[in-house]
Amino acid sequence: MSGARRIRGRHARVVARMPGAVSAVRAALAPRRTQVAVAGGTGLFVALTGAVVAFVTLVPGDTRRPDTAPKAAAVNVLGDRPAQAPVARSRPESPARPGDQAALAFYERKDPVRAAHVTEVIWTGPMLRVYTDLPASDANSRTAMALCEIAAAYAEGQGHLPEVFVHADRAAGYPVLANKMNDRDDCRLDRVP
C-alpha cells in the first residue's frame, strides 16, 4: 500500500513517462496482497479454533444427564463430618397426554383398548374434542363411533350437552371421524336427525 502511494505521489512524473509501469507495479504488489489475505485468514482460523477448544474444556459436561453432572459434597466444617446435601426439587412432570385428565381416565375405565388411540381430550366451549391417532380413512368406523359414544357419556356425566367431535391424527390434518351434536344423534357423520 505504501509503495502505491509513493508512485502516485513523488514519482508520478517518472511513472507517467514509462509505458506499462503502473501495471508492472500492480503485478508486483498482487502476490503480496494475496499472502497478507491468506495469512490473515489463517490467523483468524487458528484464533477461533483455540477459543472453541478453551471453551469446551472449561464447560462442564451435560448437566441434563445425571451421570455427567458434577457432584457436589457439603462438609460440616465444625463437626468434621459430611453434612446432609439439600434435596433437589424437581418440577412436577407434565402428563403424558395433555388435556382433560378426567376424560382420559374415563376412557381408560370404559374401554382401555380403544382408549389407547386417544391422544388428547379438550373442551372448546361446550364441545368436547377427542384427538386420536386414527387415520382419516377411519371415518364412521367402529372405533371412532365407540370413542364418540364414550365421550358423549362423559360429557353428559359432567352436566354438558353431548356435543362431541372425534378427530383423526395430526398427519391427516385432524379431520372429523365421528361427531354427536345432540342426545338424539348416533355419532355418524352427516346423519344428524
Side-chain angles (χ1 to χ4, degrees):
M1 197 72 159
S2 63
R5 278 192 213 124
R6 271 186 273 151
I7 291 172
R8 281 192 227 134
R10 275 188 309 186
H11 303 292
R13 280 180 264 147
V14 174
V15 172
R17 288 185 203 144
M18 298 171 38
V22 174
S23 61
V25 170
R26 284 188 183 148
L29 292 178
R32 176 75 177 141
R33 286 183 186 153
T34 305
Q35 290 172 351
V36 169
V38 169
T42 304
L44 180 63
F45 175 74
V46 169
L48 287 176
T49 304
V52 168
V53 168
F55 179 74
V56 168
T57 57
L58 293 176
V59 173
D62 188 3
T63 57
R64 292 174 290 169
R65 292 180 44 206
D67 58 332
T68 60
K71 306 279 190 255
V75 176
N76 183 348
V77 179
L78 298 175
D80 197 27
R81 60 179 185 260
Q84 286 187 340
V87 177
R89 297 184 189 267
S90 63
R91 293 186 310 178
E93 291 186 24
S94 61
R97 297 186 288 183
D100 189 341
Q101 297 300 309
L104 292 169
F106 188 80
Y107 268 112
E108 291 292 333
R109 282 193 311 271
K110 290 291 185 182
D111 191 351
V113 173
R114 289 191 173 117
H117 293 289
V118 177
T119 57
E120 184 177 16
V121 179
I122 60 171
W123 289 96
T124 54
M127 294 175 282
L128 187 61
R129 295 191 179 273
V130 180
Y131 293 94
T132 68
D133 62 356
L134 299 173
S137 60
D138 275 4
N140 290 331
S141 68
R142 287 184 185 195
T143 302
M145 302 285 284
L147 292 174
C148 179
E149 290 294 335
I150 293 170
Y154 174 74
E156 287 176 349
Q158 297 295 315
H160 293 277
L161 292 174
E163 294 182 61
V164 176
F165 289 90
V166 177
H167 295 274
D169 64 350
R170 179 180 187 175
Y174 301 120
V176 176
L177 301 177
N179 69 329
K180 185 170 182 111
M181 299 304 292
N182 57 38
D183 55 350
R184 294 173 295 159
D185 194 357
D186 65 352
C187 283
R188 288 193 180 276
L189 293 176
D190 302 325
R191 290 191 55 191
V192 178

